[in-house]
Amino acid sequence: MESKTFLVVDDSATIRQLLTLTLRKYNGGGQLKIIEATDGREALEKVRMAHYDLVLTDIKMPNMDGLEFVHKVRTELENTTLPIIIISTKGEEEDVAKGMAMGATAYLTKPVSAPKLLETIGRILGQGGQVVS
Amino acid sequence: VGFTSNELLDILAKSEDLADLLRRSREAASDLVRENEELKSRLDALERRDDPNARGEAAEESGELARRRQENERLRAELMALDSEYRRFAHRCIEVEAQNEALANLYVANCQLHTSLEPEGVAHAIQDIVEGLIGASQWALFERDAETGDLVLKAGEGVASRFPTGRIRGDEGPEGRAVQSGRPLIGGSGIEDEQVALLPLTAGGERVGLIAIYRMLAHKRNGYSPIDYELLNLLSGQAANALASSRLFAARLRTVQPI
């Protein structure tokens, strides 16, 4: 099974832990490495330095928010293929539109259910990953 | 042979008409033969039906057909039973999956509530649970001032205008009444889009504060889900202990540091 590395970006330890628990169901929990970052700046540095198959990011974070992070990945790093899922409490239509305009691949609202998250990841990564849900 | 050219042309035209008539007659004859054969074959079939042996065979076949029909009905009933069992099983799987998710939420929330020994850290964990797991957009965390009994706003979102002084009297409003009664109050406030949950925080028999939720995020405005109730229950019990412990620890630090 192909190994994958996901980056989870959220300033809340609770949300990071919960997302990590959920993501372990992806690929049956095997061959999946989960790296954490607490804000956009740290995440941008990590994306600059290493390859990730998927990024899950919050919006409201200190230092650099999720929208700026997504924008910088797409423009500064010129990485247009990295799938980035925004997971935010901001769920109004304009928030979603803004996130997608910045270059997000998908936009989910908190609290996100495990099946919904896994289904979205499965859809984005295609047949490459089995979704155990 | 004595025909004029006009007579010859006339004969030629007639011979062509004749050839055409002949061709059409041949086609008609051929159709008649085919029809005849079909009729013969039907007649044979009708004669066979009158044959006593054929009648026996037909009866046997009809019996077999009935048996198969019966078997088919039995299999169909079995299939329906299996389908219903499968649906029941699938439904149970979804229930178990939802329970797992709820347990994971509770486990993580509980862990985070007790991770920090600082009141700010506990308040941050409460914020994560209330906003990120329950989905509140307007909420407040009050600590009860042990001396005055007032409720002091410690953390929250979207409630600055509701509590401009950052403090309410201990016997004031639904918040004060909830703390005094020690009983959680969950339900509509009568105001559109408001889903109020007032959770008094009690640790060691002492009222230490209150978590108040007033409004949920847009996509959660259809009310609290079962897991939300579990999380609210967890908060009313564990958040109080975590807050009380962190306050005791902070007080202890304050007394130890000068020494």
Short mmCIF file of all heavy atoms in Angstrom, two decimals, chain A residues 10-19 21-22 25 60 88-92 109-115 118 132-133, chain B residues 97 100-101 104-109 111-112 124-125 127-129 131-136 157 217-221 228:
data_model
loop_
_atom_site.label_atom_id
_atom_site.label_comp_id
_atom_site.label_asym_id
_atom_site.label_seq_id
_atom_site.Cartn_x
_atom_site.Cartn_y
_atom_site.Cartn_z
N ASP A 10 -3.90 23.27 12.95
CA ASP A 10 -4.93 23.87 13.81
C ASP A 10 -4.28 24.30 15.11
O ASP A 10 -3.43 23.58 15.64
CB ASP A 10 -6.05 22.85 14.09
CG ASP A 10 -7.35 23.52 14.51
OD1 ASP A 10 -7.32 24.31 15.47
OD2 ASP A 10 -8.39 23.26 13.88
N ASP A 11 -4.65 25.46 15.61
CA ASP A 11 -4.05 25.91 16.88
C ASP A 11 -4.68 25.21 18.08
O ASP A 11 -4.15 25.28 19.18
CB ASP A 11 -4.17 27.43 17.04
CG ASP A 11 -5.62 27.90 17.02
OD1 ASP A 11 -6.43 27.26 16.32
OD2 ASP A 11 -5.92 28.89 17.68
N SER A 12 -5.79 24.51 17.84
CA SER A 12 -6.45 23.80 18.94
C SER A 12 -5.93 22.37 19.01
O SER A 12 -6.06 21.59 18.07
CB SER A 12 -7.96 23.78 18.71
OG SER A 12 -8.53 22.69 19.39
N ALA A 13 -5.34 22.04 20.19
CA ALA A 13 -4.82 20.68 20.38
C ALA A 13 -5.97 19.68 20.33
O ALA A 13 -5.80 18.55 19.85
CB ALA A 13 -4.09 20.61 21.71
N THR A 14 -7.13 20.08 20.82
CA THR A 14 -8.30 19.18 20.83
C THR A 14 -8.66 18.77 19.40
O THR A 14 -8.85 17.59 19.11
CB THR A 14 -9.52 19.91 21.46
OG1 THR A 14 -9.12 20.47 22.70
CG2 THR A 14 -10.68 18.99 21.65
N ILE A 15 -8.72 19.77 18.52
CA ILE A 15 -9.11 19.48 17.14
C ILE A 15 -8.01 18.66 16.44
O ILE A 15 -8.32 17.72 15.70
CB ILE A 15 -9.38 20.80 16.36
CG1 ILE A 15 -10.47 21.62 17.06
CG2 ILE A 15 -9.74 20.52 14.92
CD1 ILE A 15 -11.83 20.98 17.16
N ARG A 16 -6.76 18.99 16.71
CA ARG A 16 -5.67 18.22 16.08
C ARG A 16 -5.74 16.75 16.50
O ARG A 16 -5.63 15.86 15.67
CB ARG A 16 -4.30 18.80 16.46
CG ARG A 16 -3.96 20.11 15.79
CD ARG A 16 -2.45 20.36 15.82
NE ARG A 16 -1.87 20.22 17.13
CZ ARG A 16 -1.81 21.20 18.05
NH1 ARG A 16 -2.31 22.38 17.77
NH2 ARG A 16 -1.24 20.99 19.23
N GLN A 17 -5.97 16.54 17.80
CA GLN A 17 -6.03 15.16 18.30
C GLN A 17 -7.23 14.42 17.70
O GLN A 17 -7.11 13.25 17.30
CB GLN A 17 -6.14 15.19 19.82
CG GLN A 17 -5.85 13.83 20.45
CD GLN A 17 -5.94 13.86 21.97
OE1 GLN A 17 -6.16 14.91 22.58
NE2 GLN A 17 -5.79 12.71 22.58
N LEU A 18 -8.33 15.12 17.61
CA LEU A 18 -9.54 14.49 17.07
C LEU A 18 -9.39 14.17 15.58
O LEU A 18 -9.77 13.09 15.12
CB LEU A 18 -10.73 15.44 17.28
CG LEU A 18 -12.08 14.77 17.32
CD1 LEU A 18 -12.15 13.74 18.42
CD2 LEU A 18 -13.16 15.81 17.56
N LEU A 19 -8.80 15.11 14.85
CA LEU A 19 -8.59 14.88 13.41
C LEU A 19 -7.62 13.72 13.21
O LEU A 19 -7.81 12.88 12.33
CB LEU A 19 -8.04 16.15 12.74
CG LEU A 19 -9.04 17.28 12.52
CD1 LEU A 19 -8.35 18.51 11.94
CD2 LEU A 19 -10.15 16.85 11.58
N LEU A 21 -7.15 11.21 15.21
CA LEU A 21 -7.89 9.96 15.51
C LEU A 21 -8.73 9.53 14.32
O LEU A 21 -8.79 8.36 13.96
CB LEU A 21 -8.82 10.19 16.70
CG LEU A 21 -8.31 9.85 18.10
CD1 LEU A 21 -9.38 10.18 19.13
CD2 LEU A 21 -7.93 8.39 18.22
N THR A 22 -9.38 10.51 13.70
CA THR A 22 -10.25 10.21 12.54
C THR A 22 -9.42 9.75 11.35
O THR A 22 -9.77 8.79 10.67
CB THR A 22 -11.06 11.46 12.15
OG1 THR A 22 -11.77 11.89 13.29
CG2 THR A 22 -12.03 11.16 11.03
N LYS A 25 -8.29 6.20 10.48
CA LYS A 25 -9.18 5.26 9.80
C LYS A 25 -8.90 5.24 8.30
O LYS A 25 -9.37 4.36 7.59
CB LYS A 25 -10.64 5.66 10.01
CG LYS A 25 -11.09 5.49 11.43
CD LYS A 25 -12.54 5.88 11.51
CE LYS A 25 -13.03 5.84 12.93
NZ LYS A 25 -14.40 6.34 13.04
N LYS A 60 -9.05 30.22 11.49
CA LYS A 60 -8.71 31.16 12.58
C LYS A 60 -7.53 30.63 13.39
O LYS A 60 -7.69 29.72 14.21
CB LYS A 60 -9.94 31.33 13.48
CG LYS A 60 -10.13 32.75 13.95
CD LYS A 60 -11.50 32.95 14.57
CE LYS A 60 -11.56 32.42 15.99
NZ LYS A 60 -12.84 32.65 16.65
N SER A 88 -13.34 24.68 9.06
CA SER A 88 -13.49 25.90 9.85
C SER A 88 -14.89 26.01 10.46
O SER A 88 -15.84 25.42 9.97
CB SER A 88 -13.24 27.11 8.95
OG SER A 88 -13.57 28.29 9.60
N THR A 89 -14.96 26.80 11.53
CA THR A 89 -16.28 27.07 12.11
C THR A 89 -17.04 28.09 11.26
O THR A 89 -18.24 28.23 11.36
CB THR A 89 -16.14 27.64 13.54
OG1 THR A 89 -15.21 28.71 13.51
CG2 THR A 89 -15.68 26.59 14.52
N LYS A 90 -16.29 28.81 10.42
CA LYS A 90 -16.92 29.81 9.54
C LYS A 90 -17.61 29.06 8.39
O LYS A 90 -16.94 28.58 7.49
CB LYS A 90 -15.85 30.75 8.97
CG LYS A 90 -15.22 31.64 10.01
CD LYS A 90 -13.94 32.25 9.44
CE LYS A 90 -13.42 33.33 10.33
NZ LYS A 90 -13.67 34.67 9.82
N GLY A 91 -18.92 29.01 8.46
CA GLY A 91 -19.62 28.18 7.48
C GLY A 91 -20.57 28.94 6.57
O GLY A 91 -21.38 28.33 5.86
N GLU A 92 -20.51 30.26 6.61
CA GLU A 92 -21.40 31.02 5.73
C GLU A 92 -20.93 30.88 4.28
O GLU A 92 -19.77 30.60 4.02
CB GLU A 92 -21.39 32.51 6.12
CG GLU A 92 -21.80 32.80 7.55
CD GLU A 92 -23.27 32.55 7.84
OE1 GLU A 92 -24.05 32.49 6.87
OE2 GLU A 92 -23.63 32.41 9.01
N THR A 109 -17.18 22.39 7.30
CA THR A 109 -17.44 23.21 8.49
C THR A 109 -17.36 22.35 9.75
O THR A 109 -17.80 21.21 9.77
CB THR A 109 -18.82 23.88 8.41
OG1 THR A 109 -19.75 22.93 7.91
CG2 THR A 109 -18.79 25.08 7.51
N LYS A 110 -16.79 22.98 10.79
CA LYS A 110 -16.71 22.33 12.09
C LYS A 110 -18.06 22.41 12.77
O LYS A 110 -18.74 23.43 12.59
CB LYS A 110 -15.70 23.05 12.98
CG LYS A 110 -14.25 22.75 12.70
CD LYS A 110 -13.41 23.51 13.71
CE LYS A 110 -11.95 23.51 13.32
NZ LYS A 110 -11.15 24.41 14.16
N PRO A 111 -18.45 21.46 13.56
CA PRO A 111 -17.75 20.20 13.76
C PRO A 111 -17.99 19.25 12.58
O PRO A 111 -19.13 19.06 12.18
CB PRO A 111 -18.39 19.65 15.04
CG PRO A 111 -19.70 20.36 15.17
CD PRO A 111 -19.64 21.62 14.39
N VAL A 112 -16.92 18.69 12.08
CA VAL A 112 -17.04 17.81 10.92
C VAL A 112 -17.12 16.35 11.40
O VAL A 112 -16.38 15.95 12.30
CB VAL A 112 -15.88 18.02 9.93
CG1 VAL A 112 -14.54 17.72 10.54
CG2 VAL A 112 -16.07 17.23 8.67
N SER A 113 -18.05 15.60 10.80
CA SER A 113 -18.19 14.20 11.22
C SER A 113 -17.13 13.37 10.53
O SER A 113 -16.66 13.71 9.45
CB SER A 113 -19.58 13.67 10.85
OG SER A 113 -19.65 13.50 9.46
N ALA A 114 -16.76 12.27 11.20
CA ALA A 114 -15.71 11.40 10.65
C ALA A 114 -16.07 10.88 9.25
O ALA A 114 -15.25 10.94 8.33
CB ALA A 114 -15.43 10.26 11.62
N PRO A 115 -17.30 10.35 9.05
CA PRO A 115 -17.62 9.85 7.71
C PRO A 115 -17.52 10.92 6.63
O PRO A 115 -17.04 10.67 5.53
CB PRO A 115 -19.07 9.35 7.85
CG PRO A 115 -19.26 9.13 9.30
CD PRO A 115 -18.40 10.11 10.00
N LEU A 118 -13.78 11.62 5.94
CA LEU A 118 -13.14 10.51 5.21
C LEU A 118 -13.66 10.41 3.78
O LEU A 118 -12.90 10.10 2.86
CB LEU A 118 -13.36 9.20 5.96
CG LEU A 118 -12.65 9.15 7.33
CD1 LEU A 118 -13.06 7.92 8.11
CD2 LEU A 118 -11.14 9.17 7.16
N VAL A 132 -12.03 3.78 5.27
CA VAL A 132 -12.68 2.85 6.18
C VAL A 132 -13.64 3.67 7.03
O VAL A 132 -13.23 4.48 7.83
CB VAL A 132 -11.64 2.17 7.07
CG1 VAL A 132 -12.31 1.20 8.01
CG2 VAL A 132 -10.62 1.49 6.21
N SER A 133 -14.90 3.54 6.75
CA SER A 133 -15.86 4.35 7.48
C SER A 133 -17.13 3.54 7.72
O SER A 133 -17.64 2.93 6.83
CB SER A 133 -16.17 5.60 6.67
OG SER A 133 -17.23 6.28 7.27
N GLU B 97 -20.75 3.22 14.46
CA GLU B 97 -19.79 4.21 13.95
C GLU B 97 -20.03 5.57 14.61
O GLU B 97 -19.09 6.25 15.03
CB GLU B 97 -19.97 4.33 12.43
CG GLU B 97 -18.92 5.17 11.73
CD GLU B 97 -17.54 4.57 11.78
OE1 GLU B 97 -17.43 3.33 11.72
OE2 GLU B 97 -16.59 5.35 11.90
N ASN B 100 -18.85 5.38 18.14
CA ASN B 100 -17.37 5.46 18.17
C ASN B 100 -16.92 6.90 18.05
O ASN B 100 -16.02 7.33 18.76
CB ASN B 100 -16.77 4.67 17.00
CG ASN B 100 -16.67 3.21 17.34
OD1 ASN B 100 -16.79 2.83 18.49
ND2 ASN B 100 -16.46 2.39 16.34
N GLU B 101 -17.56 7.60 17.13
CA GLU B 101 -17.19 9.00 16.91
C GLU B 101 -17.49 9.81 18.16
O GLU B 101 -16.68 10.65 18.58
CB GLU B 101 -17.96 9.55 15.72
CG GLU B 101 -17.37 10.84 15.21
CD GLU B 101 -18.13 11.40 14.04
OE1 GLU B 101 -18.98 10.71 13.46
OE2 GLU B 101 -17.87 12.56 13.70
N ALA B 104 -14.92 9.05 20.72
CA ALA B 104 -13.65 9.70 20.38
C ALA B 104 -13.71 11.17 20.77
O ALA B 104 -12.77 11.70 21.37
CB ALA B 104 -13.37 9.57 18.88
N ASN B 105 -14.84 11.82 20.46
CA ASN B 105 -15.01 13.24 20.84
C ASN B 105 -14.91 13.41 22.35
O ASN B 105 -14.22 14.30 22.83
CB ASN B 105 -16.38 13.75 20.38
CG ASN B 105 -16.38 14.11 18.91
OD1 ASN B 105 -15.40 13.89 18.22
ND2 ASN B 105 -17.47 14.64 18.43
N LEU B 106 -15.63 12.53 23.08
CA LEU B 106 -15.63 12.63 24.54
C LEU B 106 -14.25 12.37 25.11
O LEU B 106 -13.79 13.07 26.02
CB LEU B 106 -16.63 11.63 25.14
CG LEU B 106 -18.10 11.94 24.90
CD1 LEU B 106 -18.97 10.79 25.36
CD2 LEU B 106 -18.49 13.21 25.63
N TYR B 107 -13.58 11.37 24.53
CA TYR B 107 -12.23 11.00 25.01
C TYR B 107 -11.27 12.18 24.83
O TYR B 107 -10.58 12.59 25.76
CB TYR B 107 -11.75 9.78 24.23
CG TYR B 107 -10.28 9.49 24.37
CD1 TYR B 107 -9.77 8.92 25.54
CD2 TYR B 107 -9.38 9.81 23.35
CE1 TYR B 107 -8.41 8.67 25.67
CE2 TYR B 107 -8.03 9.57 23.47
CZ TYR B 107 -7.55 9.00 24.63
OH TYR B 107 -6.21 8.77 24.75
N VAL B 108 -11.28 12.74 23.62
CA VAL B 108 -10.36 13.85 23.32
C VAL B 108 -10.71 15.07 24.17
O VAL B 108 -9.84 15.72 24.75
CB VAL B 108 -10.41 14.20 21.82
CG1 VAL B 108 -9.63 15.47 21.53
CG2 VAL B 108 -9.84 13.05 21.00
N ALA B 109 -12.01 15.36 24.27
CA ALA B 109 -12.44 16.52 25.05
C ALA B 109 -12.01 16.37 26.51
O ALA B 109 -11.48 17.30 27.11
CB ALA B 109 -13.96 16.67 24.96
N CYS B 111 -9.59 14.46 27.72
CA CYS B 111 -8.12 14.54 27.82
C CYS B 111 -7.68 15.99 27.85
O CYS B 111 -6.89 16.40 28.69
CB CYS B 111 -7.46 13.87 26.62
SG CYS B 111 -7.48 12.10 26.72
N GLN B 112 -8.22 16.78 26.91
CA GLN B 112 -7.78 18.16 26.78
C GLN B 112 -8.16 19.01 27.98
O GLN B 112 -7.42 19.91 28.38
CB GLN B 112 -8.33 18.79 25.49
CG GLN B 112 -7.75 18.18 24.22
CD GLN B 112 -6.25 18.33 24.14
OE1 GLN B 112 -5.67 19.30 24.60
NE2 GLN B 112 -5.58 17.32 23.59
N HIS B 124 -9.17 27.58 27.42
CA HIS B 124 -8.91 27.34 26.00
C HIS B 124 -9.48 25.98 25.57
O HIS B 124 -10.06 25.85 24.49
CB HIS B 124 -7.41 27.41 25.73
CG HIS B 124 -7.09 27.63 24.30
ND1 HIS B 124 -7.19 28.86 23.68
CD2 HIS B 124 -6.70 26.75 23.33
CE1 HIS B 124 -6.88 28.73 22.41
NE2 HIS B 124 -6.58 27.46 22.17
N ALA B 125 -9.31 24.98 26.44
CA ALA B 125 -9.85 23.64 26.13
C ALA B 125 -11.37 23.69 26.05
O ALA B 125 -11.99 23.07 25.16
CB ALA B 125 -9.40 22.64 27.19
N GLN B 127 -13.12 26.28 25.25
CA GLN B 127 -13.43 26.99 24.00
C GLN B 127 -13.37 26.02 22.80
O GLN B 127 -14.25 26.03 21.93
CB GLN B 127 -12.43 28.13 23.79
CG GLN B 127 -12.65 28.85 22.47
CD GLN B 127 -11.67 29.98 22.26
OE1 GLN B 127 -10.80 30.23 23.10
NE2 GLN B 127 -11.82 30.67 21.16
N ASP B 128 -12.32 25.18 22.78
CA ASP B 128 -12.19 24.20 21.68
C ASP B 128 -13.40 23.29 21.61
O ASP B 128 -13.90 22.97 20.53
CB ASP B 128 -10.94 23.34 21.90
CG ASP B 128 -9.68 24.12 21.60
OD1 ASP B 128 -9.79 25.22 21.04
OD2 ASP B 128 -8.58 23.62 21.93
N ILE B 129 -13.85 22.85 22.78
CA ILE B 129 -14.98 21.90 22.82
C ILE B 129 -16.27 22.60 22.40
O ILE B 129 -17.03 22.10 21.56
CB ILE B 129 -15.12 21.29 24.23
CG1 ILE B 129 -13.89 20.45 24.56
CG2 ILE B 129 -16.38 20.42 24.33
CD1 ILE B 129 -13.75 20.09 26.02
N GLU B 131 -16.74 25.46 20.74
CA GLU B 131 -16.77 25.96 19.36
C GLU B 131 -16.53 24.85 18.34
O GLU B 131 -17.27 24.70 17.37
CB GLU B 131 -15.71 27.05 19.17
CG GLU B 131 -16.07 28.35 19.87
CD GLU B 131 -15.04 29.45 19.63
OE1 GLU B 131 -14.13 29.29 18.79
OE2 GLU B 131 -15.12 30.48 20.32
N GLY B 132 -15.45 24.09 18.56
CA GLY B 132 -15.03 23.12 17.55
C GLY B 132 -15.81 21.82 17.55
O GLY B 132 -16.00 21.22 16.50
N LEU B 133 -16.28 21.37 18.72
CA LEU B 133 -16.98 20.08 18.76
C LEU B 133 -18.49 20.24 18.82
O LEU B 133 -19.22 19.48 18.20
CB LEU B 133 -16.50 19.25 19.96
CG LEU B 133 -15.00 18.91 20.00
CD1 LEU B 133 -14.71 17.92 21.12
CD2 LEU B 133 -14.53 18.33 18.68
N ILE B 134 -18.95 21.23 19.61
CA ILE B 134 -20.40 21.41 19.69
C ILE B 134 -20.89 22.35 18.58
O ILE B 134 -21.96 22.14 18.02
CB ILE B 134 -20.80 21.96 21.09
CG1 ILE B 134 -20.42 20.93 22.17
CG2 ILE B 134 -22.29 22.26 21.16
CD1 ILE B 134 -20.63 21.39 23.59
N GLY B 135 -20.08 23.34 18.26
CA GLY B 135 -20.44 24.24 17.15
C GLY B 135 -21.18 25.48 17.60
O GLY B 135 -22.09 25.94 16.91
N ALA B 136 -20.76 26.04 18.76
CA ALA B 136 -21.41 27.25 19.25
C ALA B 136 -20.76 28.48 18.62
O ALA B 136 -19.54 28.53 18.45
CB ALA B 136 -21.29 27.32 20.77
N GLU B 157 -17.38 34.09 23.08
CA GLU B 157 -17.38 34.52 21.68
C GLU B 157 -18.72 35.17 21.39
O GLU B 157 -19.77 34.60 21.69
CB GLU B 157 -17.14 33.29 20.77
CG GLU B 157 -17.10 33.57 19.30
CD GLU B 157 -15.81 34.28 18.87
OE1 GLU B 157 -14.75 33.96 19.43
OE2 GLU B 157 -15.91 35.14 17.99
N LEU B 217 -23.56 27.70 15.35
CA LEU B 217 -23.12 28.06 14.00
C LEU B 217 -24.27 27.80 13.02
O LEU B 217 -25.13 26.95 13.29
CB LEU B 217 -21.91 27.21 13.61
CG LEU B 217 -20.65 27.49 14.41
CD1 LEU B 217 -19.63 26.39 14.21
CD2 LEU B 217 -20.04 28.83 13.99
N ALA B 218 -24.22 28.50 11.89
CA ALA B 218 -25.34 28.44 10.94
C ALA B 218 -25.74 27.01 10.57
O ALA B 218 -26.93 26.70 10.50
CB ALA B 218 -24.96 29.22 9.68
N HIS B 219 -24.75 26.15 10.38
CA HIS B 219 -25.08 24.79 9.94
C HIS B 219 -25.51 23.88 11.10
O HIS B 219 -25.74 22.70 10.91
CB HIS B 219 -23.89 24.18 9.19
CG HIS B 219 -22.64 24.13 10.00
ND1 HIS B 219 -21.85 25.24 10.17
CD2 HIS B 219 -22.04 23.14 10.68
CE1 HIS B 219 -20.82 24.93 10.93
NE2 HIS B 219 -20.91 23.65 11.25
N LYS B 220 -25.57 24.44 12.33
CA LYS B 220 -26.01 23.62 13.46
C LYS B 220 -27.25 24.20 14.12
O LYS B 220 -27.55 23.90 15.27
CB LYS B 220 -24.88 23.52 14.48
CG LYS B 220 -23.71 22.71 13.98
CD LYS B 220 -23.29 21.53 14.77
CE LYS B 220 -24.14 20.97 15.83
NZ LYS B 220 -23.49 19.97 16.65
N ARG B 221 -27.97 25.02 13.38
CA ARG B 221 -29.10 25.71 14.00
C ARG B 221 -30.35 24.83 14.13
O ARG B 221 -31.39 25.29 14.57
CB ARG B 221 -29.44 26.99 13.22
CG ARG B 221 -28.31 27.99 13.32
CD ARG B 221 -28.71 29.39 13.61
NE ARG B 221 -27.52 30.18 13.90
CZ ARG B 221 -27.07 31.17 13.17
NH1 ARG B 221 -27.73 31.53 12.09
NH2 ARG B 221 -25.99 31.82 13.50
N ASP B 228 -23.92 16.16 21.10
CA ASP B 228 -23.82 17.48 21.74
C ASP B 228 -24.25 17.38 23.21
O ASP B 228 -23.61 17.95 24.09
CB ASP B 228 -24.70 18.51 21.02
CG ASP B 228 -24.18 18.82 19.62
OD1 ASP B 228 -22.97 18.62 19.40
OD2 ASP B 228 -24.97 19.25 18.77
#
